[in-house]
Structures are given as C-alpha cells and as structure tokens.
Amino acid sequence: MINMERNLLITGGAGFIGSHVVRLFVNNYPQYRIINLDALTYAGNLENLRDIENAPNYQFIKGDITDEGFINQLFKDHSIDGVIHLAAESHVDRSIMDPLAFVRTNVLGTGVLLNAARNYWKDMEGKRFYHVSTDEVFGSLGETGFFTEETPYDPRSPYSASKASSDHLVKAYFHTYNMPVVISNCSNNYGSHHFPEKLIPLMINNILHKKPLPVYGKGENVRDWLWVEDHARAIDVIFHKGVIGETYNVGGFNEWKNLDLVHLLCKIMDEKLGRQPGESAKLITYVKDRAGHDLRYAIDASKLNKKLGWKPSLQFEEGLEKTVQWYLENQDWVQHITSGAYQEYYNHQYNVR
Ligand code: NAD
Ligand code: TYD
C-alpha cells in the first residue's frame, strides 16, 4: 500500500499539526500527489510550508471544507483516494466565545468531506478517510486513570463536543456506508509553528517580552504533552497500517501540571536569555479560570505501541528546549501570525486595556 500512487487530500495543512503532517508526507512519499486544502483562517499560515512549497508532489488549494459544491468538485478534479482530515477550529477558549463557529467547521465540515468521499468513492477498495481527533472527546479525568480506546465519550467544551460529534459522524459512515475510516485521538501537542494562543507558545512569547504569564485558576490542571513531529509520525503509521474502523489513542506518557510546566519554561528561558534564576517566574499571574475547565487528560497509547510499533521519540525537556529555541529564532513568524485580529482576541481574553 505504501508504494502505490495516491491522490491524498490533507485538510488543514497550513495549521500547526497539519503543516508537520504535510511536510512529512511530501518528503517521505514522493509517489503521492499531496493536496493541502486550507481556508487560511487566522490559524492557517503558508509560511509554515515555505521549505516544501515547490516540491513536485505538492499542491496548495485555498478553500473551505463547509463548501459542499466546492468539495465535491475537488474530489472529482483531483481523483482523491485518501483523506487525512485535520482542518478544524482548534482552540477551547475561542469555542467558549463562539461555539457555532466550531459546530460549522468541525461538525458540518467533517460531514461535507465524508459525504463527498461517499459520493465519489463508488468503490471503497484502497480508499481511506482518516480523521485526526483529540483526547478531549473523553472528557476530564480525576487524579488517576487514563483514557483508552474504550473510554466512553464525555465531551465538556464546545470544542470537544464538536470533535466528538465529528468522530461519531466518521464512525457512522463506517457502519452505514462501509467507508474505510480510521480515527486517532491525540493528547496536547507542542513544537514549532504552534499558534501563540495556546499555552506553551503563549507563555514563551510572554516570557520573552516580559508580559504577565496568565495561569488559569490555580494552575493545577494536567495535560499530557506530545512533540508534534511524533504525532505526525503516528499519523503516518496509522494512515498506512491502522485497521479500518478502529481508533487509536496517541499520547506522550508525559503529564504536567500547568504551573509546573510554566515554571520549567521560565527556567529554560532564564538560562537562554541570560536572566537571573527566578526572574521570569515573577511574571506568573493567576487569572480567572476557564469555564468548565477539564482537570486532567492522560492518554494510554499502548494499543498504538503494541499493534503498530509507535512510541514518542523525544524527552519533554529536550523538546521544550528545541521549541523555545525555534520561537527565539522565528520572531518574524510570530509577528506575522499575531498581527491583525489576534491582538483583539488577546486583549479580550486576557482583559488587557
Ligand atoms: P490549527 O488551528 O493550528 O490549524 C487548523 C487549520 O485548519 C488552519 O490552517 C486553518 O486555516 C484550517 N481551517 C480552519 N477552518 C477551516 C475550514 N472551514 N476549511 C478549511 N480549512 C480550515 O489546529 P491544530 O492544532 O494544528 O490541530 C489540527 C487538528 O488536530 C484539529 O482537527 C485538532 O482538533 C486536532 N488535534 C489538535 C491537538 C493539539 O494539541 N493542537 C491535539 C489533538 C488533536
Ligand atoms: P491549551 O493550550 O488551550 O490547550 P487545551 O485547552 O486544548 O488543553 O491549554 C492548555 C492548558 O493550559 C489548559 O489547562 C488551559 C491552560 N491555559 C492557561 O492556564 N493559560 C492560558 O493562557 C492558556 C491559553 C491555557
């Protein structure tokens, strides 16, 4: 299967994870034609893909996954026979402000893509529809335990509810139309090209510019962090070897309380920027908690490890150090992506007057 030619549609390829997935597929599979479809919302940025934009097996198309006529035509025009679907509204805080945008893109958009595949794929042989999803569909854990593939869905934010709905649609197309689907549910990613509204890049940016470090509540919420390039590798393995109709959990076996993580970032950056030990940590500011803030996420990724041989490659401290270094060396990227509407969002979210 890996050596055959393919016309592979990757949605959301100009975003954080999508750009790492596009790069990996363009470099590893010269025999595939890779079409990156992205609406270039505030989160999409073609600068993420400058290094591969002229590759002969790569094409970018600007478009919206909720546009049914356009998506149907795209499947025909490009003879699409595989989909890796990442396009989404992805930020929980924004989903609290504007839930319907998440229903539109994440639920309707996924439905439109599935239906275009159903219409176009008369013969399902050799086809594959891969939905990249989140562990947040499982809800919130207490102090102990892990999410497995059998954990019942219990989403609590508009973001996670929209992703759970789209997972259910994907499963419904498998059961009803025999669509060859596969789903993965991954924990929090970190790494280069991460939009600075999310915890790690936001803190890096604020530490650098000596701005307050807004920790929600008491900073006791726990997330399981995974290096984005390890996620991209997992997507490669699952796309090619995952069993049709199954789901795979992807995680870093790497739980951190938010406050501990922010302290670690402060320490790394104090060293890199030649500041006094403890200087950046003075910027930590406790702010109003997120509404419905999930306490803890933790993934049991042993199925993916045992069945498909994947495991994370990078220690967290090393990955975080590389990430900080990338942001320090790519301040132009940060400038470009955060200019315009982002400042308005930031001021509103963090009550900056
Ligand atoms: P992101 O916000 O960085 O990127 C999303 C991309 O989708 C952007 O390029 C944006 O322009 C595009 N997009 C948005 N709406 C669109 C539309 N209507 N039509 C076409 N393109 C559209 O998100 P990300 O963090 O890279 O996440 C990618 C996927 O992975 C999402 O489906 C997300 O739910 C999932 N996921 C993310 C994480 C994480 O930690 N970031 C973890 C697990 C799963
Ligand atoms: P985030 O990066 O938004 O990812 P998610 O909500 O999808 O897990 O947030 C990670 C954690 O960091 C989450 O518990 C909320 C917290 N957080 C803060 O404390 N301050 C912030 O400014 C942000 C953006 C997040």
Side-chain angles (χ1 to χ4, degrees):
M1 186 163 170
I2 289 179
N3 289 325
M4 70 187 253
E5 291 187 4
R6 262 195 182 280
N7 295 319
L8 176 60
L9 176 67
I10 301 183
T11 71
F16 166 48
I17 302 171
S19 60
H20 287 278
V21 173
V22 165
R23 178 175 300 100
L24 184 146
F25 274 77
V26 165
N27 288 332
N28 287 6
Y29 302 104
Q31 72 279 25
Y32 291 3
R33 278 176 294 282
I34 288 150
I35 291 135
N36 170 14
L37 170 73
D38 198 296
L40 299 181
T41 67
Y42 79 94
N45 182 2
L46 289 178
E47 280 182 51
N48 296 356
L49 291 163
R50 281 286 175 259
D51 53 326
I52 55 101
E53 68 186 359
N54 294 320
N57 60 341
Y58 172 71
Q59 184 180 355
F60 172 72
I61 295 177
K62 185 171 180 209
D64 191 325
I65 55 167
T66 65
D67 184 342
E68 200 180 341
F70 165 76
I71 295 293
N72 281 326
Q73 195 59 44
L74 184 116
F75 270 73
K76 285 191 199 130
D77 289 349
H78 297 274
S79 310
I80 299 300
D81 53 18
V83 177
I84 302 181
H85 173 36
L86 297 111
E89 289 293 339
S90 68
H91 189 37
V92 174
D93 291 323
R94 286 184 190 254
S95 83
I96 295 168
M97 284 178 198
D98 184 7
L100 290 188
F102 285 66
V103 175
R104 206 172 302 118
T105 295
N106 301 358
V107 186
L108 178 64
T110 303
V112 166
L113 284 167
L114 284 163
N115 220 42
R118 175 171 84 93
N119 290 335
Y120 183 65
W121 294 347
K122 297 294 175 226
D123 175 6
M124 297 286 181
E125 188 59 37
K127 311 292 193 300
R128 183 153 284 214
F129 190 107
Y130 179 176
H131 184 223
V132 176
S133 191
T134 166
D135 62 352
E136 301 189 25
V137 298
F138 299 123
S140 184
L141 290 165
E143 300 286 328
T144 57
F146 294 93
F147 297 133
T148 72
E149 285 78 4
E150 275 70 51
T151 303
Y153 277 35
D154 184 22
R156 285 142 184 269
S157 72
Y159 164 65
S160 54
S162 70
K163 292 297 290 186
S165 309
S166 51
D167 282 4
H168 287 318
L169 269 176
V170 174
K171 290 177 192 184
Y173 272 66
F174 168 68
H175 289 291
T176 311
Y177 305 111
N178 294 321
M179 169 121 12
V181 307
V182 68
I183 296 175
S184 58
N185 297 94
C186 186
S187 64
N188 289 59
N189 287 213
Y190 72 97
S192 70
H193 305 90
H194 201 182
F195 195 93
E197 65 188 352
K198 307 276 170 61
L199 179 75
I200 289 180
L202 184 136
M203 293 296 171
I204 293 174
N205 213 27
N206 285 16
I207 294 169
L208 179 63
H209 297 290
K210 298 192 174 176
K211 290 188 355 194
L213 310 180
V215 171
Y216 296 167
K218 294 180 181 159
E220 284 175 351
N221 305 65
V222 173
R223 297 293 182 264
D224 169 6
W225 295 95
L226 177 68
W227 172 241
V228 63
E229 294 181 32
D230 280 334
H231 188 192
R233 275 196 309 109
I235 289 172
D236 180 0
V237 171
I238 295 165
F239 180 75
H240 289 108
K241 298 192 187 143
V243 175
I244 284 170
E246 294 206 1
T247 69
Y248 295 85
N249 280 359
V250 190
F253 301 101
N254 178 43
E255 291 181 50
W256 282 79
K257 273 191 183 163
N258 291 340
L259 189 58
D260 295 340
L261 170 47
V262 173
H263 273 289
L264 177 58
L265 274 173
C266 289
K267 180 170 166 281
I268 292 173
M269 291 193 65
D270 280 344
E271 282 164 14
K272 277 196 183 288
L273 298 170
R275 292 182 186 167
Q276 291 297 319
E279 194 180 329
S280 298
K282 288 186 192 141
L283 298 165
I284 291 174
T285 309
Y286 295 94
V287 299
K288 189 166 170 282
D289 208 352
R290 174 185 279 172
H293 197 170
D294 288 342
L295 177 67
R296 176 170 165 259
Y297 305 141
I299 277 276
D300 176 352
S302 51
K303 175 180 173 185
L304 182 57
N305 177 246
K306 286 197 189 104
K307 303 270 184 192
L308 305 183
W310 174 92
K311 61 175 196 285
S313 71
L314 209 60
Q315 286 299 310
F316 189 51
E317 282 79 355
E318 189 189 346
L320 217 48
E321 197 277 329
K322 274 164 146 334
T323 304
V324 168
Q325 191 59 35
W326 187 86
Y327 279 91
L328 294 180
E329 286 168 8
N330 288 277
Q331 279 296 298
D332 284 356
W333 180 93
V334 177
Q335 278 296 321
H336 294 165
I337 201 159
T338 55
S339 57
Y342 176 69
Q343 207 49 51
E344 225 171 274
Y345 163 81
Y346 185 91
N347 292 346
H348 179 266
Q349 175 68 12
Y350 299 102
N351 228 352
V352 179
R353 275 177 265 273

